[in-house]
Amino acid sequence: GKGYAFTPGLHTDEQMEGWRLVTDAVHEAGGRIFIQLFHSGRSGHVDLHPDGEPPVAPSAIPARSKTFVSATSGMIDVSPPRALELDEIPGIVTQWRRAAERAKAAGFDGVEIHGASGYLLDQFTRDGTNQRADDYGGSLENRLRLPLEVASAIADVWGPERVGYRVSPLSTFNDMADSDPTATFRTLAQRLSFLGLGYLHVQEAAFGQERDEALVQAVHDVFEQTYIGNGGYTPETARARIEEGRADAIAFGTAYIANPDLPARIARHAPLNAPDPSTFYGGDARGYTDYPTLEATEA
């Protein structure tokens, strides 16, 4: 499932113990922390996998996208995938369950399932990447089977209220597309709501895309638990969105990278640090732990 170099894992006991150092520190500071679990599917590279195995996917359709495999590689084309065999799919669900169990043992407060951004669960969900002819492909019901099996397995471990699910209905990242995203993601949101998941995290817009308000509303209307919007929000537009009842919460990505004390800045209507995109895929402290806090700036 590994799609990039330097990504932290949660598939060994050693990694689990390493994560406990993180969760203990967060809890000592009075915080809460969920871990996002994902399987990259076809968005990977043979150099990242044992014995040079190809990435796996619902169908053997190469992605026109890139990844990085070493500190010196830069972004390179992902490898052509192979289609998962039907009898391999239960093992994929088991991998997710085991990661969720290790997350619990490591002291996390919950799990977010990454079903977005052109990774494995997204690849099964959308018909641009899922062209199977068995129980996991073809109809929308079949394409949602693996995502819902994974969600059910993780909810069994954690209780559904401690589980979230992230989607990106219109994102084309990692060469993704769907013929009817409104129907696809409205149905997925409804099924996840039936499972009682704690929240749905929706990437409503990204990379300069316009937000499709009708699609967003369709998804929002069928998910009965907490709806978290994401994508190009400012503190001002986030406040307005929540006040309008169109989201229960708003998530920030880029702004959080550059502002380690983002909640305090938003609460005080303080200016935000500007992010440095050239450091987003770096490997040292620059652009990672060196952005000034509001307290330091005022001092």
Side-chain angles (χ1 to χ4, degrees):
K2 186 174 181 178
Y4 304 88
F6 313 126
T7 51
L10 190 54
H11 50 86
T12 69
D13 290 340
E14 184 180 18
Q15 291 166 337
M16 179 182 71
E17 292 304 320
W19 276 116
R20 182 170 285 283
L21 302 175
V22 176
T23 61
D24 284 350
V26 170
H27 292 149
E28 286 169 8
R32 296 291 181 267
I33 180 169
F34 275 45
I35 188 167
Q36 186 187 72
L37 301 179
F38 89 120
H39 186 306
S40 66
R42 70 175 186 167
S43 300
H45 194 279
V46 294
D47 288 353
L48 298 169
H49 300 157
D51 302 318
E53 288 289 326
V56 296
S59 304
I61 303 171
R64 292 171 294 181
S65 59
K66 295 181 180 293
T67 187
F68 60 99
V69 300
S70 72
T72 58
S73 70
M75 300 296 286
I76 63 175
D77 291 341
V78 298
S79 299
R82 69 169 179 85
L84 281 163
E85 299 292 339
L86 185 61
D87 61 4
E88 292 181 289
I89 292 180
I92 297 291
V93 178
T94 298
Q95 289 174 8
W96 285 84
R97 178 187 289 274
R98 287 177 178 165
E101 290 169 346
R102 283 196 170 93
K104 198 168 190 178
F108 284 94
D109 297 297
V111 167
E112 177 170 294
I113 301 166
H114 199 340
S117 302
Y119 300 126
L120 186 68
L121 298 185
D122 200 23
Q123 293 161 25
F124 269 85
T125 298
R126 299 206 237 182
D127 59 16
T129 42
N130 186 344
Q131 297 180 12
R132 300 177 71 93
D134 57 21
D135 287 348
Y136 289 86
S139 68
L140 177 55
E141 184 82 16
N142 285 351
R143 287 188 278 113
L144 298 183
R145 193 178 305 278
L146 178 61
L148 294 174
E149 286 179 351
V150 168
S152 294
I154 293 179
D156 285 344
V157 174
W158 276 94
E161 70 281 356
R162 293 297 184 100
V163 180
Y165 196 103
R166 177 175 166 89
V167 295
S168 54
L170 292 176
S171 174
T172 58
F173 183 65
N174 280 321
D175 197 22
M176 294 299 294
D178 188 78
S179 62
D180 190 349
T182 299
T184 295
F185 287 94
R186 182 183 186 277
T187 303
L188 175 59
Q190 189 174 51
R191 300 296 175 81
L192 294 172
S193 185
F194 290 162
L195 290 176
L197 295 199
Y199 69 86
L200 184 67
H201 180 186
V202 182
Q203 185 186 44
E204 300 169 345
F207 309 113
Q209 288 176 309
E210 291 292 327
R211 185 176 281 102
D212 184 331
E213 295 290 1
L215 186 155
V216 169
Q217 194 65 44
V219 171
H220 176 272
D221 287 348
V222 298
F223 191 78
E224 296 183 359
Q225 290 76 254
T226 299
Y227 177 100
I228 303 176
N230 171 268
Y233 282 99
T234 66
E236 293 72 28
T237 59
R239 285 191 186 95
R241 195 78 169 183
I242 294 169
E243 289 170 359
E244 293 166 1
R246 305 188 71 183
D248 299 298
I250 297 296
F252 292 88
T254 303
Y256 236 132
I257 293 173
N259 296 275
D261 52 359
L262 184 64
R265 289 174 183 263
I266 291 176
R268 294 171 58 181
H269 299 269
L272 304 183
N273 295 323
D276 180 3
S278 70
T279 66
F280 284 1
Y281 290 93
D284 56 24
R286 190 171 68 91
Y288 186 60
T289 61
D290 63 344
Y291 285 105
T293 63
L294 186 59
E295 181 180 336
T297 301
E298 290 174 340

